[in-house]
Amino acid sequence: MNWTRKTVSRAAIAVAALVTGLVAAQAGSLKIESWRNDDADIWNSKIIPAFNKTYPDIKVEFAPSAPKEYNAALNARLDGGTAGDIIACRPFDASLDLFNKHQLDGLNDLKGMDSFSSVAKAAWQTDDGKTTFCVPMASVIHGFIYNEDAFKKIGAQPPKTMAEFHDILDKLKKDGTYTPIDLGTADQWEAATMGFQNIGPDYWKGETGRLNLIAGKDKFTDPQYIAVFKELASWAPYMGDGFQAQTYPDSQNLFSLGKAAIYPAGSWDISTFRAQAKFKMGAFPPPLPAGDTECYISDHTDIAMGLNSASKNKDDAKKFLAWLTTPEFATLYSNALPGFFSLNTTPVKVDDELAATMVGWRKDCKSTIRDSYQILSRGTPNLENELWNVSAQVINGKLTPEAAGKQLQDGLDKWYKPAAK
C-alpha cells in the first residue's frame, strides 16, 4: 500500500512537473496563427526582427496555414486547446463567431487601440460596436490600374468623371491596340469585387448607404443600385472577345503582358504586376457619376490580429498586439507588402509609387467597406455570393439591372428583417 502511494505520489509530481514545464515553455514565446502563408519570409526576415529590437526576450513564431484550410484548421486547434497565442482575424462574421465562443479576448483596453477609426475597427467588433476583439492591420483599396503606354497612345489622362471614362474607352476601342477593360466574368467574384464594389460607393454614398442597407432604410431596388448595374452593363462592349470565359488569372496575365489598357483592380494585385509587367503603370479612383463632386473609395478591411483567450502568455501577447498599433509597424507592413495598407490613423509613407497613389486617395475621398460583408451575408441566400452571380450576369447581358436589384433584395428579404432587430 505504501509503495502504491509513493508511486502515485511520484506520478503526480511528474505530471505536475510536466504541466509546469509546458506552461513555462509558453512564457517568453508567442505563436502566430495566420492564413497569409505567402508572407512567411517577410514575417521572419522583417517584422519579427523589428519587434525583437524592442522586445528581445520574446520569441515569436509565425506559423501560417494554407488560406483555404485556415478557418477549419484554426477552429480545430482552438477547440482542442493547441492554437497559437496570436490569431490572424478575417473580417466580420468568422472572427465575431470566435469572440462569441469566448475564444478571442476583447481588446478595448489595449494600449494603442485609439489609433484606428471606427470604420477600421468595424470589421472586428460586436454588432453593437461596444467591443473590439482584434487589432486592425491592413485594408485593400479598389480602383483602376492602367497601362500608361496605352493612355499615351490615345492622348488620354486619368478620368475624373464617368463621362471622361467612357470617352477613353471609346478611343481605346477605336484604336484597337489594347483591350479597353480587362475583366472577365468566368469566376464571377471579380465582377462583384472589382466591378460592383469598386464603383458602387460613389453611387450609394459610402458608409451612409452601407449602413442604410443594414438598417433597412435603403434597398437594392433603389435607383442608386440600379445605376451601378447599368454602368457595369455598359462595360461589356469594351471587355474584349470571350470575356465570359476569362478567369481571374487570365485577366492578370492579359494586363501583365501589356495587352490591356485598364484593369479594374484590388490593390493586392500590385505585387503581381510589379513582378510581371514591363511597362509603366498608373492608377485612378472610381470616376464620379454625373453631377457628383464628393468621392468615395472601397478601402476594405482585410486582416487583423487577436488574442487567443486560452493563451498561457497573455502579457507578452498584449505587448505584441500593442506594438501592432504603432506607426513603426504600420510603415513596416505597408512597405513590406505593397497594396496592403495600414489601417492606422497615423499617415504612412509608402515607397511603392503605385501603392502610394492608391493610398493617397484617402486624403480626398471618404473610405468605406464592401456593403455585403457586415451582417448582410449571414443568411441564405448569401448576399456576397448572390452579388458575384448577379454582377456577372448583368455584364453578360443575361440579367437586366432592374432584375438584378430585385433578385438581391428578394433574397435578402427571405431571411433578413432589420425592423425586428
Side-chain angles (χ1 to χ4, degrees), residues 13 25 35 41 72 207 224 257 284 299 323 344 363 390:
I13 292 171
W35 69 87
D41 287 344
E207 282 295 278
Q224 63 269 35
L257 292 170
F284 58 88
D299 189 357
W323 181 73
N344 199 299
K363 298 176 184 177
V390 162

Side-chain angles (χ1 to χ4, degrees), residues 169-246:
L169 294 178
D170 287 335
K171 289 178 179 178
L172 287 165
K173 187 174 182 179
K174 183 177 180 180
D175 176 76
T177 305
Y178 304 88
T179 297
I181 296 181
D182 180 10
L183 182 70
T185 57
D187 293 338
Q188 296 194 342
W189 70 267
E190 309 98 303
T193 306
M194 278 96 99
F196 181 86
Q197 300 285 12
N198 186 349
I199 65 171
D202 280 332
Y203 291 81
W204 60 71
K205 310 306 178 190
E207 282 295 278
T208 297
R210 186 181 76 85
L211 295 175
N212 279 349
L213 265 185
I214 294 173
K217 295 178 181 178
D218 290 351
K219 296 181 180 297
F220 282 106
T221 49
D222 290 344
Q224 63 269 35
Y225 291 97
I226 304 305
V228 178
F229 285 123
K230 286 181 177 178
E231 175 58 33
L232 287 185
S234 76
W235 291 7
Y238 306 101
M239 286 167 54
D241 295 336
F243 70 81
Q244 299 90 340
Q246 184 174 314

